[in-house]
Every structure is written in structure tokens, then in C-alpha cells.
Amino acid sequence: MIESLIFANASQVVTCAGPARARRGSELGDAGVLADAAVAVEGDRIAAVGRLGDLRARFKSAREIDCRRGVLAPGLVDSHTHGIFGRPRYDEQELRAAGMDYMEIARRGGGIHASVRDLRQRDGDELFALAKPRLERLASFGTTTVEVKSGYGLTLDDELKTLRVIARLQRELPLRIVPTFLGAHEIPLEYRESAARRREYVDLVINEMIPAVASERLAKFADVFCETGVYTVDESRAILSAARNAGLLLKLHADELTSSGGAELAASLGAVSADHLAAISDVGIDALAHGSTVATLLPGTMLFLGKTKHAPARRLIEAGVPVALATDFNPGTSPTPNLPLVLTLGVSQLHLSVAEALLAATVNGAAAVGLADSVGQITEGFSADLALFDVQDVRAVPYWYGDNRCVATFVRGKPCHTSDLGIF
Amino acid sequence: MIESLIFANASQVVTCAGPARARRGSELGDAGVLADAAVAVEGDRIAAVGRLGDLRARFKSAREIDCRRGVLAPGLVDSHTHGIFGRPRYDEQELRAAGMDYMEIARRGGGIHASVRDLRQRDGDELFALAKPRLERLASFGTTTVEVKSGYGLTLDDELKTLRVIARLQRELPLRIVPTFLGAHEIPLEYRESAARRREYVDLVINEMIPAVASERLAKFADVFCETGVYTVDESRAILSAARNAGLLLKLHADELTSSGGAELAASLGAVSADHLAAISDVGIDALAHGSTVATLLPGTMLFLGKTKHAPARRLIEAGVPVALATDFNPGTSPTPNLPLVLTLGVSQLHLSVAEALLAATVNGAAAVGLADSVGQITEGFSADLALFDVQDVRAVPYWYGDNRCVATFVRGKPCHTSDLGIF
């Protein structure tokens, strides 16, 4: 028998219901804020949104969950993380404060290279044990879907090891996890002595890694770090084209620090998302506006790097580009588990309205991970992925910045995270 | 009989011990990081810092508290908050995102005026009930001492009402609370029709409010918002001089948005702290360098306001000025309870080292509230105000930004906040 639940007594139900892409909203109501609604769940699906009395009459055997005047929202979607890593990179935080640039740290063998050296020395069990509590912390802030990339292995075996850890996390955690293959996260140090060696690594990604990842069905997406000093546009195109041919959907780290044509490439390949975009050009904005790629913005990264430049979120939205917000959770440039804080940054640094920030971390985040039809909305038929916050007004979530007001999440109708074990 | 405690099994004890002003540190060790130390407490005081075996031999009847390989630090000192207010100002968050400036919002009767209208309508019990859980949230992030200002009353009765709420919080919460009278937070709307009316309000602050506050011993400090469009330097000087004569110590909101000579005034009056300083001039830095005033920096406020300009923290430190970091917790421009996040901003936005950021929220924060001799350090004879974080390296506290890694705090040797009731 399928279990039925009714989420009752919320002060607001924020549905985010509606078309799943290019959602924007100058008014809070554009996020679908209902003051007197309850939500019925049957099994793993949302069965109805309506008045409590009506739902009680319709779902007679349902168990009621008292939302205690809190805000019930779609579980948040964190569509860009690098959640599998070994040691935190505390040292680089100090180096940057002392004035050393991110790319200079990388040139000295730090940055991604430091995490690569570290991850290669650890086995899958160790990586699983490190990643599990980290992803649970992300969940504790209201996130129910998280995209997780590989990319600190950069050998066939180490990339597969990472993706198998992600697969194990998918099986063992209630959190919904979307795996991405990012073998082209950096040019490994051992492939840097010549252009020929560099080409060898690109060939390794294309001819060995992608086929292995695809045949083991270890990733839904492939991604490349396209940036001056990392992968060129041509290399990125070659890798993503191979990934697409192997049946993977595409993402691209594009125009983070310099404008190198990444957004244009993402649009031309029909990538599901182009991510970062702090340095996107006018041509890049235009390319995204004429395609269907989601712009995933990561203002926490710019904050943690101490940069004042941010992605032109308003211009993207005004051009009709769907904007998602994500943490970029990673050990070097954005070690935050707090997606609501990224919503705050969306409002304060990127000038989104609260409704736009909410849509960016729900329906548009879902679109950025290819799940627009099943998560990110409180809509009949969608997965019962929900987050409950102990505030009476959804605007409070980005407002009390740096706090955690999430008290419970549900994924597929089952409890995922609860901060207050007395509640349910 | 006095109870003795030994805090055992910390992976690090961060003492921040040493002279209480102008503390800086380019190395983590400058914050006093001990890898193999325990801390003994007798009654409300720190009795000793040393090896566990030695402390066990010396304090035979002590109860041991297992720090579980966490980091034990001085309880954090949040030396600048406006913690007594009514409704949160969600609406202004949206107005700013849409491009309206902070001072423009104030000119339209929003900003501080909105909180004044709101607070005047509430009685003390209501304000107490609102403030208590808010201050408890600050405590949950590791804060054990919090300065709390009045300033949303702006009538004699409403300022006294606010300060009595603070006094009740002092009595009823374990948190250490330092009260500040800020009757000169704004020119009330009803005193704005003429220069004469404006002068009447300044006279009211000087001739009625300050004497009443002093005679009822409701505040340790007096503060003024000295800023273009708010109080002039001359008005600020008159008010603070009267406060000093009445026995109050001085603080000043100085040079937040424009450079108006606030820092110079604070130094010339021997103020204990000058706060904000994002627009401090070279002359102002020089004045602070030749005085004894603590520079309290509030980078969270600049973040939440969406401004990219920050106080010149490095130049202040290099000039020998003691720098403190605080949340500025308030309903309009900085609604964060998360002081560790402000440490992150100290590193990422102000270019402090981690040691400097820690000292800024412990010993220098204590100096900013006139408690440098009793709190902010794990030093024999200091108050047993402690914070325990569930990380193995103190650098993790500002690193995992937006998270809350504090699991317990103690004030005067007694539990103040615990996140995990199973621990103690």
C-alpha cells in the first residue's frame, strides 16, 4: 500500500509551479506563494496542492505532518558542486588573503592540482566516508538534489573511482544526486611538458575516459573547465562533442575569470548549462539568449575568491536566459554547504528579486540538471522533494543570511534531513 | 564548593592569549594555537592551560568535558549589534536589489525609520520575546559576548524601554551582554522640519536621555551614527561629550558610507571603538593610529548592501590600529547571526590572515567592549567564556563559510549554548 501524507499548517506553500525554464519574477507571487494551502503526497509523488479540508476529504488515510507555521518549498536544487575531495585547502585561503591570485596558486601546483594529488592517494571507501557527511551538510540547508562532479582524479582509474563513489552515495543517501564526469577539469601536471603531451591527455579523455564512463553509466553529464590557461574552446568542443556522441548530456565551466567564448560554445553544442559566466561577453549573452542553455551562476565563488566582479545576472534574465544559482561546493574556491546564503548573494550581489533567486535554486536548478519535469516544483505529479523552513515568510530565507532555517527535507516523499528530531 | 572542569581531548586549543590591543598575526601561531593542551576551569574562571596529565594531577576533583577532537577557542565577541527590533525589513532587501540606494530608502521613511515606527508600537515583553531567540541564534554560532544597542526608540520612553529589555536579557540569558545607548541613531522624522527642531532632538538626547540612562545604569556605552545625512561631526561631539561626562564609555558609527571625519572625532574623544569605517580617510587612519580606539569593521553589512567597497583593514592593521570584526546584526543592513561568516569576509574581502580574523573577534572584540582584561582569551584568570567547534583545525571555521561548526559555548564556566544535547 502506498503511504499518503498531508503537509498541513504551513504559513506559506511556495510552489515555484509553472514552466520550467526562463522563469523570472519581479513580484514574490511569481514564485507561487500560497498563504492557505496544504500539500498531499502519495508515495513518492506530489498528489495535490489545495485547502487542508479538501485534501483531508480526498486523502482520508493520509498521515498529517504539522509544518508548524513554517514555509514549505520545493527542495532546493544545487546544480553545480565538486563534492568528492580529500583534504580542505585551508592554506590557499591565507595565500589569497595575502594577495596571491587564484591562477598563480594553480601555476605553483596548488589549486585543483593539490586536490588531484590528494584524491589519487585515497581509496573509494575513504572518499565515500569524507563525502557523505559533507553532502549531508548540504542537505541540512534545504538541498534535496545535488549535482556532483568528478575531476580531481584526472586518470582513467581515479576518475572512475570518483564516479563510483558518487554512485555509492546515490545508493546510500536519501539525497537525489546527479553525477557529472569532469575529467577535463585541468591539464594534469604530468601532461604539461609539450603540446603533444597535452593533446595526449585530451585524447585520453575522449578515447578512454568517456567510453568507460558511458559504458558503466556512471555519469549523466560531461563537463569541461573552459578557461584561459585551462582548456581552450577547441579542446572543450572536441571533448564535449565526444561526450555527446557517447550519450552524455553537456555542461561547461565557461567565462569564469576571462571571456574566452565559453558561453558561445555551450550554446552551440546545446549544453544543458553554462556555468560561472562572471566574464561572459555580450556575444555570449546573445548566444545563450538564442539557445536553451541554463546560465548557472555561482556568486559564492566570487565572494570566497575576494573578487568584486559578478556575472551579469540581470542582463542574462532580461535577455530571456534561464538563470540558476548553485554553491560550487568545492575545497578551493567555494567550501560552503549553504545554498540559501547563495540566494542572499543572488539578491545582494546579482540584483535578483527574491522570487528570481528562489526560482534559480528550484525550477531553473532542476532544468540545469535535466530534471525540469520531475523536481523543483510543488506541482501535482512532481517528485515529493520538499524543504521546510522555520520562518513565516519565504523572504526570510535569504534575509537571515548565513543562518540555517531549514528544519526538514523530504526526497521522494521520505525524510532526508531533519534538524529537529522531535518534529516527525 | 566551586566546581572544576577540565576541557580535554581538543585537537587544538586556540588561546588568543597575549596583550589585548593591536593584536595582529601573519602566522596562525600568532593566535596561540596549541596542539596538545587542555584547559582547567574553576568556578567562572580559567584556572590553567596545560597538558592534560598535569591538569588532572592538579585539579583532582574536576569533571572532564570531552572536546571530541574539536577546536576549543575563546567564546567569540560580537562587539556591534542592534539586536532589539520588531519586524524584519524584508521589503528593503528587494528595493535594494532593484537598484534603490540605502540612503534613498531612508529618505522615503524606510530604513531606521521603519524600525522606529515598529518598535514604538511594541511593549517590553514583546520586544524581549522577539530578541531572546535572535540572540540565542547568535550564541549558537560561537558568540558568548554580544554588544546590543538601543536606537530604534528615539524618544526618552522608547529608548529606556529598549535598554530595560537589554537589561532583562542580561539577567535571563547566559550570554554576556554589553548594553549601548544609541539615542542618536537617526534624526526622528518628527524633528526634521527645521534646524531648530533638529537641535531640540539633540538637546533631548543630551539633557534628558543621557542623564536618565546614566542614573538607571542602563548602558555601559553611548554611540552616535555620525554620517552625511545623519548626525554631523559637531552634533556627534556634543552628544558623546555629554555621555562621557555622565560616566558612559564611547563608541561611534564613523565613516560608513562617506568620509565625514568620524574616525578623527572618535580618536579625539578617546572613544573605545570607531565602527564601520568603509570610507575612512587617510587622516582618519592616522588619527586612530595615534590613539587607542579600536576599529570595528563590519564587512557583512557591505555585503548585504551589495557594496563592493570595504574598510581598509590592512592599512589600519599596518598603521597599528587594533581591528575588531562584528556582525552589525540588525534588521535592515545585516541580519546575520553568523559571526564566523564575518571572519570569512574578514579574510576574503578585507585580506586579514586567519589569525588576525580570530583575534579581531576575540581579544580585539573584547577591547572594543571594554572587557579586554576579562574575556576574549583562554588565559589564566580570564572568564571561562569558551566556544567549541567540531573541526580539527581552527582554519576550518572561516573556511566552511556559511556553515555553523560551533557545537557548544560556555559563559562564566556554565553551558550557554549546545547544539548537540548528547555532548554534555
Side-chain angles (χ1 to χ4, degrees), chain B residues 79-80 147-151 159 163 178-185 205-206 209-211 213-214 218-226 236-253 265-266 269-275 368-369:
Chain B
S79 62
H80 185 132
E147 186 256 18
V148 183
K149 303 176 198 294
S150 69
E159 287 295 306
L163 290 167
V178 178
T180 294
F181 165 64
L182 179 56
H185 196 192
V205 171
I206 290 173
M209 291 188 191
I210 287 172
V213 169
L218 284 171
K220 175 172 181 173
F221 287 92
D223 192 352
V224 174
F225 190 1
C226 178
S236 302
R237 185 186 296 108
I239 294 166
L240 289 184
S241 300
R244 189 171 55 181
N245 292 339
L248 295 168
L249 297 172
L250 308 184
K251 289 180 166 288
L252 188 65
H253 281 62
L265 176 64
L269 291 170
V272 175
S273 74
D275 300 39
V369 293

Side-chain angles (χ1 to χ4, degrees), chain B residues 222 242 255 351 355 388 417 421:
Chain B
D255 304 325
H351 299 286
L388 179 63
H417 168 80
L421 295 172

Side-chain angles (χ1 to χ4, degrees), chain B residues 71-121:
Chain B
V71 167
L72 187 68
L76 302 181
V77 180
D78 193 346
S79 62
H80 185 132
T81 85
H82 305 256
I84 314 296
F85 57 89
R87 72 168 179 81
R89 301 203 320 252
Y90 304 133
D91 46 335
E92 295 178 18
Q93 181 180 222
E94 298 261 34
L95 291 174
R96 274 193 308 274
M100 195 182 291
D101 181 64
Y102 174 68
M103 290 310 252
E104 176 61 23
I105 290 171
R107 274 190 290 274
R108 295 179 179 212
I112 292 167
H113 303 301
S115 290
V116 169
R117 277 194 301 280
D118 181 280
L119 181 135
R120 288 177 178 175
Q121 292 166 18

Side-chain angles (χ1 to χ4, degrees), chain A residues 88-90 93-94 97 137 300 303 306 331 334-336 338 348-349 351-354 396 399-405, chain B residues 88-90 93-94 97 137 300 303 306 331 334-336 338 348-349 351-354 396 399-405:
Chain A
R89 298 196 330 245
Y90 304 133
Q93 180 179 223
E94 297 261 37
R137 288 195 92 85
L303 179 77
S334 191
T336 189
N338 188 338
S348 67
Q349 312 302 299
H351 299 285
L352 303 186
S353 69
V354 170
Y399 172 86
W400 299 113
Y401 73 97
D403 205 349
N404 183 4
R405 304 306 296 252
Chain B
R89 301 203 320 252
Y90 304 133
Q93 181 180 222
E94 298 261 34
R137 287 194 95 84
L303 179 77
S334 190
T336 188
N338 188 338
S348 68
Q349 312 303 297
H351 299 286
L352 303 186
S353 68
V354 170
Y399 172 85
W400 299 113
Y401 74 99
D403 204 350
N404 183 5
R405 303 308 295 252

Side-chain angles (χ1 to χ4, degrees), chain B residues 144-165:
Chain B
T144 56
T145 296
V146 60
E147 186 256 18
V148 183
K149 303 176 198 294
S150 69
Y152 296 121
L154 308 191
T155 68
L156 176 62
D157 286 350
D158 290 306
E159 287 295 306
L160 293 177
K161 174 177 76 181
T162 306
L163 290 167
R164 288 181 193 126
V165 169

